[in-house]
Amino acid sequence: KNEVEQSPQNLTAQEGEFITINCSYSVGISALHWLQQHPGGGIVSLFMLSSGKKKHGRLIATINIQEKHSSLHITASHPRDSAVYICAVRETSGSRLTFGEGTQLTVNP
Amino acid sequence: GAVVSQHPSRVICKSGTSVKIECRSLDFQATTMFWYRQFPKQSLMLMATSNEGSKATYEQGVEKDKFLINHASLTLSTLTVTSAHPEDSSFYICSARDPRLTSGRPSETQYFGPGTRLLVL
């Protein structure tokens, strides 16, 4: 069992739809990251969370430390949101990140 | 915001040659940088943690003599793939941890470079 699991693996949506990507982890963490990787490969850090909720534009990230679960929401999705979204956790024991397998999101016009 | 650059962005080389990839933090000093590799359709795999002024810490299964890491300054870490073979073809990504304080606490933010795509023929 992976320490970080994401669901779904693949997600196709129509433009304008509300999207949710989930991340569950099994270790104690000091922070959780949501990353976006576009087809060219470059990675952008979207959020870093240790508790509660953060919002940036159309993106919202939440985390429930007790349940070891985080969600990334995209409101009013757009084709340019098409990318791989990766959840990564920083374990309390160190500085390394452990990555989920990623969720491939495709938003069709 | 902080920016991490990598050079080159893409490299094609012959089998047996060595390739050096640079990772630079452009507007902050990174005491710790991380090197990852990513195969198609897979997530990032940590190869090593690079600390300025000391030897890199390699993950299990990563050959130290094959993947040489040098973190000679607070803004530059290099990864050299020695005697590259086709199976080393991959996407190599670095990240740098921003050590600056945020709200009085150490930041845990990592900034990722754009990646280097290596193709060994």
Side-chain angles (χ1 to χ4, degrees):
Chain A
K1 190 179 189 309
N2 292 335
E3 292 177 338
V4 182
E5 293 199 336
Q6 287 184 234
S7 63
Q9 284 188 318
N10 294 281
L11 181 56
T12 300
Q14 286 300 121
E15 184 172 357
E17 285 185 0
F18 180 84
I19 286 162
T20 296
I21 299 171
N22 296 299
C23 175
S24 296
Y25 52 92
S26 58
V27 296
I29 68 168
S30 58
L32 181 144
H33 297 251
W34 279 103
L35 310 170
Q36 180 191 56
Q37 186 173 30
H38 278 282
I43 291 178
V44 174
S45 181
L46 299 174
F47 294 104
M48 187 182 69
L49 295 162
S50 54
S51 65
K53 175 180 174 179
K54 286 190 177 180
K55 184 176 189 293
H56 182 69
R58 295 180 294 107
L59 301 178
I60 303 167
T62 63
I63 187 168
N64 185 318
I65 296 294
Q66 286 73 30
E67 294 186 4
K68 295 188 174 171
H69 180 269
S70 175
S71 293
L72 175 68
H73 305 286
I74 304 175
T75 61
S77 60
H78 191 275
R80 64 174 175 266
D81 297 326
S82 298
V84 175
Y85 291 83
I86 302 169
C87 170
V89 301
R90 176 174 166 163
E91 297 181 32
T92 48
S93 57
S95 60
R96 59 180 291 180
L97 292 179
T98 302
F99 295 85
E101 299 275 328
T103 295
Q104 172 69 62
L105 171 65
T106 303
V107 181
N108 294 317
Chain B
V3 176
V4 173
S5 71
Q6 277 184 245
H7 178 79
S9 59
R10 188 181 298 266
V11 57
I12 301 173
C13 69
K14 291 182 180 179
S15 187
T17 60
S18 294
V19 175
K20 180 187 282 189
I21 302 170
E22 294 185 348
C23 177
R24 291 181 188 273
S25 56
L26 298 185
D27 59 355
F28 66 99
Q29 294 182 326
T31 51
T32 304
M33 290 184 173
F34 303 89
W35 285 98
Y36 303 90
R37 68 187 296 183
Q38 185 181 37
F39 292 106
K41 305 277 187 196
Q42 294 186 25
S43 194
L44 285 77
M45 183 192 80
L46 179 65
M47 298 175 67
T49 302
S50 169
N51 294 298
E52 187 269 337
S54 64
K55 290 184 179 179
T57 303
Y58 290 81
E59 295 300 302
Q60 194 170 14
V62 178
E63 299 175 57
K64 301 177 185 181
D65 296 331
K66 173 80 175 169
F67 298 100
L68 299 178
I69 290 173
N70 186 292
H71 194 155
S73 80
L74 287 170
T75 59
L76 173 65
S77 176
T78 60
L79 168 68
T80 302
V81 183
T82 62
S83 187
H85 287 279
E87 58 265 30
D88 298 323
S89 299
S90 188
F91 190 59
Y92 292 87
I93 305 171
C94 73
S95 72
R97 191 167 71 193
D98 186 345
R100 292 171 292 187
L101 298 179
T102 302
S103 301
R105 299 191 304 179
S107 169
E108 297 185 13
T109 303
Q110 283 191 32
Y111 297 96
F112 289 82
T116 297
R117 197 163 299 280
L118 170 64
L119 177 60
V120 185
L121 302 177

